[in-house]
Amino acid sequence: MPKVLDKLLLIALLLLAQGAAASPAAVGVELRSLLRTLEAELADPTNDRLSNAALLRKVGLVEPLATPTEVTPIRADQMLATGDPVEIEVMDARLALAMMAQAFGPGDNDVIVAAQGSALETGRPRALVVRSGEAVLADIDLFLDLYDIPGGMTAPGMFDLRVPLVILPGASFSLSEGQHLRLSRPDGAFVINMGLFGATGAAVSTVGGPSSTSARFVPFVTTIGGGAVQIQDSVLTGLGFGLSPKFSGFSVLGNGLSMAESDSVIRGNRFSDLVSLSIAGVSGVEVVNNRIRRARGRAMVLSGATGAVIRGNIFHDGIPNNAIRLTDGSARATVRGNLVLGGRRSGIVIDDSSHAVDLTENLVWHRDGGGIKIARADCALVSRNIVLDNRQKGIEVRASRDTRLLGNRAVANSSAGIWVSAQGEDDLTYLEGNVMAANGSGISTATAGNVFLAGNDFSHQFPRFLHGDIARQSRLIAQDLKGVTPMLVSAGGGRQAERPPTPCAR
């Protein structure tokens, strides 16, 4: 099936396939124009209800005959359905935090306890607990009245929660179309989910100013242990605080001890003004076709996650740190068809012992930093990505074994289009079929080990093809700008060579 980025790739290929006489300034002009149009459309609130695929079609970034990936609705039979009656009770909010601290440490728990404010004076900082059944807002409203807890419906579909809400294993809580759950910041409200949290066409946000007893606190939604989330076409705004993934805004955290009863699926949502969307220690999470804007930290962080699918997401309007980071041994993830528009630091990062990540058909444009970075990882496949107009390196490979860069387009990055450094003496990096155009240099290295080059196009990379400790091999590139002859190069020299085998186990 054609991918969402088909036309982006086609435009880049057409531009880069022009004759060698084309000026570097002309390379990528049409693509930049389309991306600026996309930024303007993303800033228009009338487009908020459009799916990512529909928005890309609107601005002409998809071929008319292409079939972009649309959001697939979560089926009712995928939801956790127990048939049990709804049972809701009250517990001490500090017990809920203690449950989390057992698996994820006590960091910042004091901030949340302090946010309970006047309830601490009575010794009863209360939380509402869904113990069983499939609860909805009407159930929460009923039990708030029953337990004489303030909050509830303030307008049709508008619900203010002024105490923490805890969903226990085997229970669920869901929001439906048009419902808006507002978590009170001055009252210390938050959601901890150990069962199933679901939302379709709903909204979750904060309400109120800082707590008088805990100014740092901001409400959050976190799923822990064997819990799962299934959320689609919803809007989540203003969530999260601090540095811990537990409280970063919207989190799905496994502990290795409990198996989730359902898969976690995050599709077609709009996230804004959260610290991070955090996923840690879980398997098979889908994060597909979402938009994240104005993050206050790394927009999306996967730590120790296995088999995640990160596809078709758009990051824009102020991403002060990495848009996507896979770290701490994340393995066998698919990161495909994501758009990163502007922001600081490297757009997409794979690091810290992450293994066999497939990074394909993403676009990183106009970062005040690098495009894609692979550091202290192994067996990464980086293919058919576009890195354009970034102020530092296009694609960076650092201290990472058996990395393969295949068919990427590095255009007008201020530093190297591709950078390879800090490799072991016997390490091998594969660079095949990549196009370098109008970068500070085409390929730059510093202790790069061995680099296999085949089919790389330097036709638009005048005057600096190579830089760093392999710069002396520039004559080899000048003699073969299209890379017809495969070469194995290092700081010590270069020679014609067959493609070495890839030892990676994916």
Side-chain angles (χ1 to χ4, degrees), residues 141-457:
D141 201 29
L142 177 65
F143 279 90
L144 287 178
D145 285 342
L146 179 64
Y147 294 117
D148 193 25
I149 297 174
M153 289 290 185
T154 59
M158 185 81 69
F159 192 98
D160 284 2
L161 185 66
R162 298 177 61 183
V163 294
L165 176 65
V166 180
I167 306 153
L168 292 183
S172 70
F173 170 67
S174 61
L175 300 168
S176 57
E177 184 77 34
Q179 293 184 329
H180 186 173
L181 176 63
R182 303 199 305 177
L183 304 175
S184 173
R185 183 177 179 185
D187 292 301
F190 57 85
V191 177
I192 293 178
N193 168 44
M194 292 177 271
L196 177 68
F197 177 82
T200 300
V204 181
S205 69
T206 64
V207 63
S211 165
S212 61
T213 56
S214 185
R216 286 184 58 207
F217 172 81
V218 180
F220 57 89
V221 177
T222 189
T223 294
I224 62 172
V229 296
Q230 294 178 347
I231 177 171
Q232 62 184 6
D233 300 330
S234 295
V235 178
L236 297 97
T237 306
L239 301 172
F241 74 97
L243 300 176
S244 169
K246 297 180 296 182
F247 311 131
S248 67
F250 195 83
S251 307
V252 183
L253 312 176
N255 60 14
L257 302 176
S258 303
M259 294 295 293
E261 296 186 53
S262 302
D263 293 331
S264 285
V265 180
I266 303 168
R267 294 181 187 154
N269 305 290
R270 308 290 180 264
F271 295 90
S272 64
D273 190 31
L274 80 168
V275 176
S276 298
L277 170 58
S278 299
I279 297 167
V282 295
S283 298
V285 174
E286 282 188 34
V287 187
V288 177
N289 291 359
N290 304 280
R291 291 183 208 160
I292 299 183
R293 65 187 302 180
R294 290 197 302 269
R296 286 177 275 132
R298 294 183 174 95
M300 185 185 301
V301 181
L302 286 83
S303 179
T306 302
V309 176
I310 312 300
R311 177 166 52 83
N313 303 287
I314 298 177
F315 302 82
H316 68 107
D317 191 21
I319 306 294
N321 208 312
N322 315 128
I324 302 173
R325 184 183 181 192
L326 280 77
T327 190
D328 195 22
S330 292
R332 295 182 294 282
T334 298
V335 182
R336 181 182 294 266
N338 302 283
L339 275 68
V340 180
L341 308 178
R344 298 194 296 275
R345 300 193 179 181
S346 295
I348 302 175
V349 176
I350 314 297
D351 70 357
D352 287 348
S353 300
S354 292
H355 171 73
V357 173
D358 184 342
L359 191 66
T360 300
E361 294 172 348
N362 304 282
L363 185 147
V364 183
W365 174 59
H366 206 230
R367 296 285 292 185
D368 189 11
I372 293 170
K373 182 176 181 178
I374 313 297
R376 302 178 306 281
D378 69 285
C379 297
L381 173 61
V382 183
S383 65
R384 302 192 302 280
N385 301 282
I386 300 172
V387 286
L388 173 68
D389 291 342
N390 300 293
R391 287 191 64 183
Q392 296 181 13
K393 306 169 185 73
I395 301 174
E396 178 178 356
V397 179
R398 184 184 295 270
S400 296
R401 289 191 309 105
D402 303 316
T403 304
R404 289 179 289 164
L405 274 57
L406 312 179
N408 301 286
R409 297 344 186 206
V411 180
N413 300 285
S414 297
S415 183
I418 296 174
W419 168 280
V420 184
S421 67
Q423 301 290 86
E425 183 178 350
D426 297 323
D427 285 345
L428 180 60
T429 305
Y430 300 79
L431 307 182
E432 303 176 58
N434 303 288
V435 175
M436 275 69 66
N439 302 287
S441 60
I443 298 172
S444 185
T445 64
T447 319
N450 300 288
V451 180
F452 177 73
L453 303 175
N456 299 292
D457 188 344

Side-chain angles (χ1 to χ4, degrees), residues 121-145:
E121 298 174 6
T122 66
R124 298 175 60 218
R126 294 182 293 177
L128 207 59
V129 179
V130 182
R131 184 167 291 279
S132 67
E134 302 156 43
V136 295
L137 274 185
D139 298 309
I140 304 299
D141 201 29
L142 177 65
F143 279 90
L144 287 178
D145 285 342

